[in-house]
Amino acid sequence: MARILITNGTVITMDSRRRIVKDGAVAIENDRIVDVGKSDALKDFQAEKVFNARDRVVMPGLIDAHCHHVQMLARGLADDVDLIAWCYDRIYPYETLLTDEATYLSALLCCIEMIRTGTTCVCDPGGYPMDNVGRALAESGMRGIIAWSGMDQWSDDRPLPDGLPGKLSTEETLKVEEKLVKEWHEREGGRIRASYGLRVEPNVTDNLYRGINELAKRDGVMVQMHAAVNKDQVEWVRSRTGRTTIAHMNSLGILGPHWYFIHMAVLTDEELRVLKDNDCRVIHVPGATLHGAYGSATVGKFPEMIDMGITVALGCDSSAANNSLDMFRAMYEAATVHKEARVVPDLIAPEKALEMATIDGARAVHWDNEIGSLEKGKKADVVIVECKRSNWIPLHDFSLVPTLVYSGEGADVETVIIDGSIVMEKRKILTVDVKKVLRQAQRATQKLIKKLPFKLKPKWPFE
Ligand SMILES: [Zn+2]
Protein backbone atom coordinates (compact mmCIF):
# COMPACT_ATOMS: atom_id res chain seq x y z
CA MET A 1 0.00 0.00 0.00
CA ALA A 2 1.65 3.20 -1.10
CA ARG A 3 -0.42 5.94 0.55
CA ILE A 4 -2.27 5.43 3.83
CA LEU A 5 -4.13 7.97 5.98
CA ILE A 6 -5.09 7.29 9.58
CA THR A 7 -7.56 9.92 10.68
CA ASN A 8 -9.83 11.02 13.59
CA GLY A 9 -7.65 9.28 16.20
CA THR A 10 -5.92 10.29 19.41
CA VAL A 11 -2.31 10.30 18.25
CA ILE A 12 0.32 9.65 20.92
CA THR A 13 3.34 10.87 18.98
CA MET A 14 6.20 10.14 21.45
CA ASP A 15 8.03 13.02 19.75
CA SER A 16 10.48 15.11 21.78
CA ARG A 17 7.61 17.16 23.30
CA ARG A 18 5.51 14.02 23.84
CA ARG A 19 2.60 15.71 22.02
CA ILE A 20 -0.75 13.95 21.99
CA VAL A 21 -2.91 15.11 19.08
CA LYS A 22 -6.66 14.84 19.61
CA ASP A 23 -8.63 14.28 16.43
CA GLY A 24 -5.28 13.60 14.91
CA ALA A 25 -4.05 12.01 11.72
CA VAL A 26 -0.98 10.25 10.39
CA ALA A 27 -0.17 10.24 6.68
CA ILE A 28 2.03 7.48 5.25
CA GLU A 29 3.68 7.24 1.87
CA ASN A 30 5.45 3.98 1.07
CA ASP A 31 7.54 3.10 4.14
CA ARG A 32 7.60 6.58 5.71
CA ILE A 33 5.41 8.87 7.77
CA VAL A 34 5.01 12.04 5.69
CA ASP A 35 2.83 14.04 8.08
CA VAL A 36 1.34 14.03 11.59
CA GLY A 37 -1.24 16.60 12.67
CA LYS A 38 -4.90 17.46 13.11
CA SER A 39 -7.25 15.43 10.90
CA ASP A 40 -8.54 18.65 9.42
CA ALA A 41 -5.12 19.78 8.32
CA LEU A 42 -4.44 16.46 6.58
CA LYS A 43 -7.83 16.02 4.94
CA ASP A 44 -6.52 16.75 1.45
CA PHE A 45 -3.94 13.95 1.60
CA GLN A 46 -4.72 11.66 -1.30
CA ALA A 47 -4.75 8.19 0.22
CA GLU A 48 -5.44 4.81 -1.33
CA LYS A 49 -6.40 3.46 2.08
CA VAL A 50 -8.01 5.35 4.96
CA PHE A 51 -8.35 4.13 8.54
CA ASN A 52 -10.97 5.93 10.62
CA ALA A 53 -9.42 5.87 14.11
CA ARG A 54 -12.33 7.43 16.02
CA ASP A 55 -12.36 6.07 19.61
CA ARG A 56 -8.90 4.78 19.01
CA VAL A 57 -5.34 5.59 20.02
CA VAL A 58 -2.78 5.81 17.24
CA MET A 59 0.73 5.21 18.55
CA PRO A 60 4.19 4.05 17.54
CA GLY A 61 4.53 0.28 17.24
CA LEU A 62 5.94 -1.23 20.42
CA ILE A 63 9.55 -2.37 20.54
CA ASP A 64 10.23 -5.66 22.28
CA ALA A 65 13.89 -5.23 23.12
CA HIS A 66 14.43 -8.85 24.08
CA CYS A 67 12.67 -11.86 22.62
CA HIS A 68 13.85 -15.35 21.64
CA HIS A 69 11.95 -16.53 18.58
CA VAL A 70 13.25 -20.09 18.79
CA GLN A 71 11.89 -20.62 22.31
CA MET A 72 8.27 -20.19 21.28
CA LEU A 73 7.72 -23.96 21.16
CA ALA A 74 9.09 -24.24 24.72
CA ARG A 75 6.02 -22.67 26.31
CA GLY A 76 5.28 -24.65 29.47
CA LEU A 77 8.60 -26.55 29.42
CA ALA A 78 10.47 -24.44 31.98
CA ASP A 79 8.04 -23.05 34.52
CA ASP A 80 8.82 -22.73 38.23
CA VAL A 81 12.50 -23.68 38.18
CA ASP A 82 15.56 -21.56 39.01
CA LEU A 83 17.67 -19.97 36.30
CA ILE A 84 20.34 -22.68 36.27
CA ALA A 85 17.80 -25.48 35.86
CA TRP A 86 15.88 -23.33 33.36
CA CYS A 87 18.96 -23.00 31.12
CA TYR A 88 20.90 -26.20 31.58
CA ASP A 89 18.21 -28.78 32.37
CA ARG A 90 15.34 -27.52 30.26
CA ILE A 91 16.05 -24.98 27.51
CA TYR A 92 19.48 -26.04 26.23
CA PRO A 93 18.26 -29.65 25.80
CA TYR A 94 15.17 -28.25 24.01
CA GLU A 95 17.29 -26.07 21.72
CA THR A 96 19.51 -29.08 20.93
CA LEU A 97 16.51 -30.87 19.44
CA LEU A 98 15.27 -28.01 17.25
CA THR A 99 15.16 -28.70 13.53
CA ASP A 100 15.09 -26.10 10.76
CA GLU A 101 11.36 -26.61 10.42
CA ALA A 102 10.77 -26.28 14.18
CA THR A 103 12.75 -23.05 14.48
CA TYR A 104 10.96 -21.58 11.49
CA LEU A 105 7.54 -22.49 12.95
CA SER A 106 8.60 -21.23 16.38
CA ALA A 107 9.65 -17.92 14.88
CA LEU A 108 6.47 -17.54 12.83
CA LEU A 109 4.37 -18.25 15.92
CA CYS A 110 6.40 -15.66 17.80
CA CYS A 111 5.81 -13.07 15.04
CA ILE A 112 2.07 -13.77 15.14
CA GLU A 113 1.97 -13.20 18.89
CA MET A 114 3.95 -9.98 18.65
CA ILE A 115 1.94 -8.54 15.77
CA ARG A 116 -1.33 -9.46 17.48
CA THR A 117 -0.30 -7.43 20.54
CA GLY A 118 1.13 -4.38 18.79
CA THR A 119 4.86 -5.10 18.70
CA THR A 120 6.39 -3.96 15.43
CA CYS A 121 10.12 -4.28 16.18
CA VAL A 122 11.89 -7.08 18.01
CA CYS A 123 15.45 -7.59 19.14
CA ASP A 124 16.37 -11.28 19.25
CA PRO A 125 19.52 -12.19 21.20
CA GLY A 126 19.86 -15.40 19.26
CA GLY A 127 19.32 -19.07 19.22
CA TYR A 128 20.18 -21.52 16.48
CA PRO A 129 19.86 -21.67 13.52
CA MET A 130 18.89 -18.04 12.99
CA ASP A 131 18.37 -18.10 9.21
CA ASN A 132 14.92 -19.51 9.95
CA VAL A 133 14.15 -16.61 12.28
CA GLY A 134 15.30 -14.15 9.63
CA ARG A 135 13.04 -15.87 7.12
CA ALA A 136 10.04 -15.64 9.49
CA LEU A 137 10.68 -11.94 10.11
CA ALA A 138 10.96 -11.31 6.39
CA GLU A 139 7.72 -13.15 5.60
CA SER A 140 5.64 -11.86 8.52
CA GLY A 141 6.56 -8.23 7.87
CA MET A 142 8.10 -7.72 11.33
CA ARG A 143 11.01 -5.36 11.85
CA GLY A 144 13.80 -6.95 13.81
CA ILE A 145 17.38 -7.56 14.77
CA ILE A 146 18.79 -11.08 14.93
CA ALA A 147 21.96 -12.52 16.40
CA TRP A 148 23.77 -15.77 17.13
CA SER A 149 24.01 -16.53 20.82
CA GLY A 150 27.74 -17.14 21.17
CA MET A 151 29.27 -19.49 23.71
CA ASP A 152 32.76 -20.96 23.78
CA GLN A 153 33.19 -22.53 27.22
CA TRP A 154 31.30 -24.81 29.55
CA SER A 155 32.07 -26.36 32.89
CA ASP A 156 30.93 -29.35 34.92
CA ASP A 157 28.63 -27.23 37.04
CA ARG A 158 27.13 -25.66 33.89
CA PRO A 159 27.16 -28.54 31.36
CA LEU A 160 25.98 -27.98 27.79
CA PRO A 161 24.32 -30.88 25.98
CA ASP A 162 26.26 -32.37 23.07
CA GLY A 163 24.75 -31.27 19.80
CA LEU A 164 23.70 -27.82 21.01
CA PRO A 165 24.56 -25.78 17.90
CA GLY A 166 26.03 -22.94 19.96
CA LYS A 167 28.59 -25.23 21.62
CA LEU A 168 31.58 -24.15 19.54
CA SER A 169 35.19 -23.06 19.90
CA THR A 170 36.09 -19.38 20.09
CA GLU A 171 37.20 -19.32 16.44
CA GLU A 172 34.11 -21.17 15.24
CA THR A 173 31.83 -18.83 17.21
CA LEU A 174 33.48 -15.74 15.74
CA LYS A 175 33.17 -17.19 12.26
CA VAL A 176 29.50 -18.16 12.54
CA GLU A 177 28.56 -14.79 14.05
CA GLU A 178 30.46 -12.87 11.41
CA LYS A 179 28.65 -14.85 8.73
CA LEU A 180 25.23 -14.11 10.23
CA VAL A 181 25.90 -10.38 10.41
CA LYS A 182 27.21 -10.36 6.86
CA GLU A 183 24.20 -12.23 5.52
CA TRP A 184 21.40 -10.59 7.50
CA HIS A 185 22.35 -7.02 8.36
CA GLU A 186 20.24 -4.50 6.41
CA ARG A 187 18.10 -7.11 4.62
CA GLU A 188 14.53 -6.53 3.35
CA GLY A 189 15.18 -2.91 2.52
CA GLY A 190 16.76 -2.38 5.94
CA ARG A 191 13.80 -3.83 7.89
CA ILE A 192 15.97 -6.65 9.22
CA ARG A 193 19.27 -6.02 10.93
CA ALA A 194 21.79 -8.26 12.63
CA SER A 195 24.02 -7.97 15.66
CA TYR A 196 26.61 -10.02 17.50
CA GLY A 197 25.52 -11.98 20.56
CA LEU A 198 26.89 -13.70 23.67
CA ARG A 199 24.77 -16.06 25.70
CA VAL A 200 25.62 -15.66 29.36
CA GLU A 201 28.75 -15.18 31.51
CA PRO A 202 29.66 -18.81 32.39
CA ASN A 203 29.73 -19.68 28.68
CA VAL A 204 31.99 -16.86 27.46
CA THR A 205 35.81 -16.69 27.63
CA ASP A 206 37.70 -13.40 27.78
CA ASN A 207 38.99 -14.13 24.28
CA LEU A 208 35.44 -14.34 22.97
CA TYR A 209 34.50 -11.06 24.71
CA ARG A 210 37.44 -9.37 23.02
CA GLY A 211 36.97 -11.01 19.62
CA ILE A 212 33.25 -10.26 19.42
CA ASN A 213 33.85 -6.69 20.57
CA GLU A 214 36.31 -6.11 17.73
CA LEU A 215 33.98 -7.53 15.10
CA ALA A 216 31.00 -5.53 16.40
CA LYS A 217 32.98 -2.29 16.34
CA ARG A 218 34.30 -3.05 12.87
CA ASP A 219 30.79 -3.79 11.53
CA GLY A 220 29.06 -0.99 13.44
CA VAL A 221 26.52 -3.27 15.12
CA MET A 222 25.58 -4.17 18.70
CA VAL A 223 26.55 -7.06 20.98
CA GLN A 224 23.56 -8.49 22.82
CA MET A 225 24.22 -10.44 26.01
CA HIS A 226 22.30 -11.72 29.03
CA ALA A 227 24.31 -10.32 31.92
CA ALA A 228 24.12 -10.13 35.71
CA VAL A 229 20.82 -11.98 35.47
CA ASN A 230 20.81 -13.11 39.08
CA LYS A 231 23.06 -13.48 42.13
CA ASP A 232 24.29 -16.98 41.14
CA GLN A 233 25.61 -15.79 37.79
CA VAL A 234 27.39 -12.78 39.27
CA GLU A 235 28.89 -14.93 42.04
CA TRP A 236 30.13 -17.34 39.35
CA VAL A 237 31.99 -14.47 37.67
CA ARG A 238 33.31 -13.16 41.00
CA SER A 239 34.62 -16.59 42.01
CA ARG A 240 36.67 -16.79 38.80
CA THR A 241 37.74 -13.20 38.17
CA GLY A 242 37.46 -11.49 41.55
CA ARG A 243 35.07 -8.99 39.96
CA THR A 244 31.36 -8.72 39.31
CA THR A 245 30.12 -9.03 35.71
CA ILE A 246 30.21 -5.47 34.40
CA ALA A 247 33.33 -4.62 36.43
CA HIS A 248 35.04 -7.62 34.84
CA MET A 249 33.99 -6.63 31.33
CA ASN A 250 35.12 -3.07 32.02
CA SER A 251 38.54 -4.40 33.04
CA LEU A 252 38.81 -5.89 29.53
CA GLY A 253 38.43 -2.37 28.10
CA ILE A 254 35.64 -3.33 25.74
CA LEU A 255 32.53 -1.46 26.88
CA GLY A 256 30.74 1.14 24.77
CA PRO A 257 27.31 2.09 23.39
CA HIS A 258 27.25 -1.07 21.27
CA TRP A 259 27.01 -3.28 24.39
CA TYR A 260 23.39 -4.30 24.95
CA PHE A 261 22.86 -5.99 28.30
CA ILE A 262 19.75 -7.98 29.16
CA HIS A 263 18.22 -8.55 32.64
CA MET A 264 20.93 -6.84 34.73
CA ALA A 265 19.35 -7.53 38.12
CA VAL A 266 22.54 -7.59 40.19
CA LEU A 267 24.77 -4.52 39.82
CA THR A 268 26.93 -2.40 42.11
CA ASP A 269 26.64 1.40 42.20
CA GLU A 270 30.09 1.54 40.63
CA GLU A 271 28.85 -0.63 37.75
CA LEU A 272 25.95 1.76 37.21
CA ARG A 273 28.48 4.56 36.73
CA VAL A 274 30.44 2.37 34.27
CA LEU A 275 27.27 1.72 32.28
CA LYS A 276 26.45 5.42 32.21
CA ASP A 277 29.99 6.49 31.29
CA ASN A 278 30.08 3.99 28.43
CA ASP A 279 26.47 4.64 27.30
CA CYS A 280 25.73 0.90 27.42
CA ARG A 281 22.15 -0.19 26.80
CA VAL A 282 20.18 -2.03 29.48
CA ILE A 283 17.13 -4.17 28.80
CA HIS A 284 14.66 -4.73 31.59
CA VAL A 285 12.50 -7.85 31.35
CA PRO A 286 10.09 -7.57 34.26
CA GLY A 287 7.96 -10.54 33.16
CA ALA A 288 10.98 -12.85 33.21
CA THR A 289 12.09 -11.74 36.66
CA LEU A 290 8.57 -12.24 38.00
CA HIS A 291 8.36 -15.67 36.38
CA GLY A 292 11.89 -16.86 37.16
CA ALA A 293 12.68 -15.02 40.41
CA TYR A 294 15.90 -13.32 39.23
CA GLY A 295 15.71 -10.40 41.65
CA SER A 296 15.25 -7.50 39.18
CA ALA A 297 12.37 -6.12 41.21
CA THR A 298 13.76 -6.69 44.69
CA VAL A 299 17.50 -5.94 44.29
CA GLY A 300 17.52 -4.46 40.77
CA LYS A 301 18.46 -0.81 40.35
CA PHE A 302 16.26 0.07 37.40
CA PRO A 303 14.77 3.24 38.96
CA GLU A 304 18.32 4.45 39.65
CA MET A 305 19.50 3.62 36.13
CA ILE A 306 16.57 5.54 34.66
CA ASP A 307 17.29 8.52 36.95
CA MET A 308 20.93 8.52 35.83
CA GLY A 309 19.87 8.70 32.18
CA ILE A 310 21.02 5.20 31.22
CA THR A 311 18.95 3.93 28.28
CA VAL A 312 16.66 1.26 29.70
CA ALA A 313 14.33 -0.55 27.30
CA LEU A 314 11.70 -3.24 27.86
CA GLY A 315 11.52 -6.83 26.69
CA CYS A 316 9.34 -9.92 27.05
CA ASP A 317 12.09 -12.59 26.66
CA SER A 318 10.22 -15.69 25.50
CA SER A 319 7.23 -17.88 25.96
CA ALA A 320 9.40 -20.10 28.19
CA ALA A 321 10.77 -17.33 30.39
CA ASN A 322 7.90 -14.89 30.97
CA ASN A 323 5.70 -16.41 29.35
CA SER A 324 3.82 -13.56 27.72
CA LEU A 325 4.93 -11.58 24.68
CA ASP A 326 2.38 -8.83 25.35
CA MET A 327 4.32 -5.57 25.65
CA PHE A 328 1.27 -3.94 27.28
CA ARG A 329 1.74 -6.39 30.13
CA ALA A 330 5.48 -5.63 30.19
CA MET A 331 4.71 -1.90 30.51
CA TYR A 332 2.31 -2.63 33.36
CA GLU A 333 4.94 -4.69 35.13
CA ALA A 334 7.66 -2.06 34.68
CA ALA A 335 5.37 0.59 36.08
CA THR A 336 4.29 -1.48 39.08
CA VAL A 337 6.86 -3.99 40.36
CA HIS A 338 9.39 -1.41 41.54
CA LYS A 339 6.75 0.64 43.33
CA GLU A 340 5.72 -2.42 45.27
CA ALA A 341 9.27 -3.57 46.02
CA ARG A 342 10.27 -0.13 47.35
CA VAL A 343 6.82 0.86 48.67
CA VAL A 344 6.91 4.10 46.63
CA PRO A 345 3.70 4.67 44.63
CA ASP A 346 5.12 6.84 41.82
CA LEU A 347 8.54 5.28 41.32
CA ILE A 348 8.32 4.50 37.58
CA ALA A 349 5.47 6.47 36.01
CA PRO A 350 3.30 4.91 33.29
CA GLU A 351 4.59 7.61 30.93
CA LYS A 352 8.12 6.27 31.53
CA ALA A 353 6.95 2.71 30.90
CA LEU A 354 5.51 3.81 27.54
CA GLU A 355 8.78 5.55 26.69
CA MET A 356 10.69 2.37 27.54
CA ALA A 357 8.49 0.41 25.12
CA THR A 358 8.81 2.93 22.29
CA ILE A 359 11.37 5.72 21.99
CA ASP A 360 13.78 4.38 24.63
CA GLY A 361 13.58 0.96 22.98
CA ALA A 362 14.43 2.57 19.65
CA ARG A 363 17.44 4.28 21.22
CA ALA A 364 18.49 1.01 22.87
CA VAL A 365 18.66 -0.72 19.48
CA HIS A 366 20.31 2.32 17.83
CA TRP A 367 17.33 2.85 15.55
CA ASP A 368 15.78 6.00 17.08
CA ASN A 369 16.50 8.03 13.96
CA GLU A 370 13.87 5.92 12.18
CA ILE A 371 11.48 4.34 14.69
CA GLY A 372 10.06 4.79 18.21
CA SER A 373 7.87 7.84 17.55
CA LEU A 374 5.33 9.11 15.04
CA GLU A 375 7.12 11.96 13.28
CA LYS A 376 7.47 13.18 9.74
CA GLY A 377 10.28 11.32 8.00
CA LYS A 378 10.33 8.32 10.30
CA LYS A 379 9.51 4.78 9.24
CA ALA A 380 5.80 4.01 9.32
CA ASP A 381 5.56 1.57 12.24
CA VAL A 382 2.14 2.45 13.61
CA VAL A 383 -0.49 0.66 15.68
CA ILE A 384 -4.14 1.53 16.14
CA VAL A 385 -5.56 0.59 19.53
CA GLU A 386 -9.28 0.38 20.21
CA CYS A 387 -10.29 2.32 23.32
CA LYS A 388 -14.06 2.02 23.39
CA ARG A 389 -13.80 -1.15 25.42
CA SER A 390 -14.73 -1.96 29.00
CA ASN A 391 -11.09 -1.89 30.14
CA TRP A 392 -10.65 1.71 28.91
CA ILE A 393 -13.91 3.47 29.89
CA PRO A 394 -14.25 5.99 31.47
CA LEU A 395 -11.35 7.72 29.76
CA HIS A 396 -10.04 11.27 30.30
CA ASP A 397 -7.18 13.27 28.80
CA PHE A 398 -5.37 13.16 32.15
CA SER A 399 -5.72 9.39 32.40
CA LEU A 400 -5.00 8.40 28.80
CA VAL A 401 -1.43 7.16 29.20
CA PRO A 402 -1.97 5.68 32.68
CA THR A 403 -5.02 3.83 31.34
CA LEU A 404 -3.03 2.55 28.36
CA VAL A 405 -0.33 1.18 30.68
CA TYR A 406 -2.43 0.05 33.66
CA SER A 407 -5.57 -1.18 31.87
CA GLY A 408 -4.63 -1.68 28.24
CA GLU A 409 -3.78 -5.05 26.80
CA GLY A 410 -2.40 -6.43 23.59
CA ALA A 411 -5.85 -7.66 22.61
CA ASP A 412 -6.94 -4.02 22.25
CA VAL A 413 -4.64 -3.62 19.23
CA GLU A 414 -6.70 -3.59 16.07
CA THR A 415 -4.41 -2.60 13.22
CA VAL A 416 -0.65 -2.87 12.77
CA ILE A 417 1.42 -1.16 10.10
CA ILE A 418 5.13 -1.95 9.78
CA ASP A 419 7.47 -0.25 7.34
CA GLY A 420 4.37 1.21 5.66
CA SER A 421 2.77 -2.22 5.08
CA ILE A 422 -0.51 -3.22 6.68
CA VAL A 423 0.39 -6.37 8.57
CA MET A 424 -2.79 -6.68 10.67
CA GLU A 425 -6.16 -5.10 9.90
CA LYS A 426 -9.22 -5.38 12.16
CA ARG A 427 -7.32 -8.01 14.16
CA LYS A 428 -6.68 -10.20 11.12
CA ILE A 429 -3.02 -10.87 10.41
CA LEU A 430 -2.52 -10.56 6.66
CA THR A 431 1.00 -11.89 6.21
CA VAL A 432 0.84 -15.31 7.90
CA ASP A 433 -1.68 -18.17 7.79
CA VAL A 434 -2.32 -18.10 11.54
CA LYS A 435 -4.48 -21.22 11.81
CA LYS A 436 -1.98 -23.28 9.84
CA VAL A 437 0.96 -22.11 11.97
CA LEU A 438 -0.90 -22.84 15.23
CA ARG A 439 -1.74 -26.34 14.04
CA GLN A 440 1.76 -27.09 12.79
CA ALA A 441 3.43 -25.62 15.90
CA GLN A 442 1.34 -27.83 18.19
CA ARG A 443 2.14 -30.89 16.12
CA ALA A 444 5.87 -30.15 15.83
CA THR A 445 6.16 -29.57 19.59
CA GLN A 446 4.37 -32.80 20.45
CA LYS A 447 6.95 -34.65 18.34
CA LEU A 448 9.82 -32.72 19.91
CA ILE A 449 8.91 -33.18 23.56
CA LYS A 450 8.98 -36.98 23.20
CA LYS A 451 12.73 -36.69 22.65
CA LEU A 452 13.46 -34.41 25.61
CA PRO A 453 15.60 -35.88 28.41
CA PHE A 454 12.98 -34.82 30.98
CA LYS A 455 9.29 -35.59 31.34
CA LEU A 456 6.73 -33.17 32.75
CA LYS A 457 3.47 -34.30 34.28
CA PRO A 458 0.36 -32.27 35.13
CA LYS A 459 -0.05 -31.63 38.87
CA TRP A 460 -3.76 -32.38 38.70
CA PRO A 461 -5.34 -35.53 37.26
CA PHE A 462 -6.59 -35.44 33.68
CA GLU A 463 -9.53 -37.74 32.96
ZN1 LIG B 1 16.84 -14.04 26.96
Side-chain angles (χ1 to χ4, degrees):
M1 194 64 64
R3 289 168 72 87
I4 301 169
L5 181 67
I6 305 167
T7 186
N8 302 325
T10 301
V11 181
I12 301 179
T13 63
M14 301 309 292
D15 67 7
S16 59
R17 290 175 49 216
R18 303 291 185 262
R19 285 181 312 131
I20 296 173
V21 186
K22 290 175 80 171
D23 196 7
V26 178
I28 296 164
E29 199 171 322
N30 300 319
D31 57 337
R32 301 272 172 185
I33 294 168
V34 291
D35 214 344
V36 179
K38 288 280 185 190
S39 296
D40 223 26
L42 271 68
K43 68 178 188 313
D44 294 334
F45 181 78
Q46 295 294 312
E48 288 145 86
K49 174 88 180 173
V50 176
F51 287 97
N52 184 352
R54 190 176 304 284
D55 297 322
R56 283 153 178 80
V57 157
V58 182
M59 59 187 275
L62 298 168
I63 297 168
D64 186 339
H66 183 64
C67 180
H68 297 252
H69 288 79
V70 305
Q71 288 174 11
M72 198 68 181
L73 304 186
R75 192 192 293 283
L77 296 184
D79 293 331
D80 314 323
V81 292
D82 68 27
L83 180 67
I84 304 302
W86 189 94
C87 289
Y88 297 91
D89 298 347
R90 303 285 181 90
I91 295 303
Y92 292 166
Y94 156 85
E95 287 189 1
T96 304
L97 293 171
L98 286 173
T99 59
D100 278 329
E101 194 209 349
T103 45
Y104 173 61
L105 275 173
S106 184
L108 272 184
L109 184 60
C110 194
C111 292
I112 289 170
E113 188 58 5
M114 289 186 289
I115 292 166
R116 188 179 75 79
T117 52
T119 293
T120 57
C121 178
V122 58
C123 195
D124 188 322
Y128 330 97
M130 291 303 285
D131 288 347
N132 303 309
V133 176
R135 194 151 62 94
L137 289 174
E139 290 172 12
S140 68
M142 278 291 298
R143 182 183 302 285
I145 300 146
I146 61 172
W148 176 275
S149 196
M151 36 168 86
D152 71 335
Q153 74 171 357
W154 39 93
S155 55
D156 290 343
D157 61 333
R158 305 279 203 278
L160 295 180
D162 287 335
L164 181 67
K167 192 176 177 183
L168 299 173
S169 69
T170 313
E171 291 69 32
E172 287 166 334
T173 302
L174 293 171
K175 214 175 274 174
V176 76
E177 296 216 22
E178 200 177 6
K179 182 166 175 280
L180 182 138
V181 171
K182 203 174 205 170
E183 287 179 1
W184 282 98
H185 193 50
E186 300 293 356
R187 281 267 282 265
E188 298 292 314
R191 177 162 58 81
I192 300 176
R193 291 183 173 180
S195 86
Y196 288 89
L198 297 171
R199 190 110 200 190
V200 69
E201 297 97 317
N203 299 122
V204 181
T205 63
D206 287 352
N207 278 341
L208 186 58
Y209 279 126
R210 290 195 188 96
I212 283 288
N213 181 61
E214 270 172 36
L215 292 177
K217 281 171 82 170
R218 184 198 68 187
D219 294 344
V221 299
M222 308 186 297
V223 186
Q224 303 182 55
M225 178 181 170
H226 303 95
V229 181
N230 72 1
K231 213 164 140 246
D232 282 349
Q233 297 291 75
V234 174
E235 282 309 316
W236 194 96
V237 177
R238 199 205 302 269
S239 70
R240 276 145 184 92
T241 69
R243 294 187 174 96
T244 48
T245 297
I246 299 302
H248 173 61
M249 292 180 70
N250 193 35
S251 76
L252 300 176
I254 57 177
L255 296 180
H258 56 298
W259 281 92
Y260 185 98
F261 293 118
I262 303 133
H263 297 306
M264 300 286 268
V266 182
L267 298 167
T268 64
D269 290 343
E270 177 54 29
E271 286 177 314
L272 260 52
R273 277 189 289 279
V274 169
L275 293 167
K276 170 69 181 161
D277 290 347
N278 289 284
D279 198 14
C280 300
R281 276 48 173 166
V282 173
I283 312 309
H284 186 15
V285 191
T289 204
L290 288 167
H291 177 264
Y294 304 162
S296 294
T298 49
V299 301
K301 296 179 177 171
F302 294 93
E304 287 76 9
M305 286 193 263
I306 290 167
D307 276 352
M308 288 168 72
I310 295 169
T311 301
V312 181
L314 268 186
C316 288
D317 210 336
S318 80
S319 64
N322 179 330
N323 300 347
S324 158
L325 301 188
D326 184 344
M327 282 292 289
F328 282 79
R329 194 201 276 198
M331 288 192 282
Y332 174 86
E333 290 159 348
T336 54
V337 291
H338 302 284
K339 303 201 289 200
E340 161 62 15
R342 308 270 183 98
V343 200
V344 178
D346 60 352
L347 196 54
I348 293 182
E351 287 79 5
K352 185 59 199 167
L354 182 56
E355 288 175 352
M356 292 164 82
T358 55
I359 192 68
D360 294 354
R363 178 168 156 72
V365 297
H366 299 262
W367 219 332
D368 49 322
N369 61 333
E370 293 204 302
I371 59 171
S373 61
L374 302 182
E375 294 179 81
K376 193 173 169 175
K378 280 205 170 182
K379 290 279 189 179
D381 289 7
V382 189
V383 300
I384 304 176
V385 183
E386 198 184 352
C387 306
K388 213 170 188 180
R389 287 159 74 90
S390 55
N391 56 323
W392 287 75
I393 301 291
L395 188 60
H396 315 280
D397 290 354
F398 62 80
S399 67
L400 177 69
V401 176
T403 298
L404 189 152
V405 170
Y406 291 138
S407 313
E409 52 191 45
D412 301 331
V413 175
E414 195 179 57
T415 295
V416 175
I417 297 169
I418 305 173
D419 216 30
S421 293
I422 303 165
V423 172
M424 182 168 84
E425 182 173 2
K426 303 273 177 213
R427 298 195 172 83
K428 183 176 168 38
I429 294 178
L430 306 175
T431 48
V432 185
D433 184 340
V434 175
K435 276 190 187 156
K436 189 172 154 202
V437 172
L438 299 185
R439 195 173 56 239
Q440 290 179 335
Q442 177 71 26
R443 207 181 297 146
T445 312
Q446 275 166 343
K447 243 201 287 181
L448 187 149
I449 61 171
K450 287 194 187 123
K451 297 182 193 150
L452 285 170
F454 57 90
K455 293 276 168 276
L456 300 174
K457 291 203 174 80
K459 287 186 182 143
W460 290 349
F462 273 66
E463 293 186 346

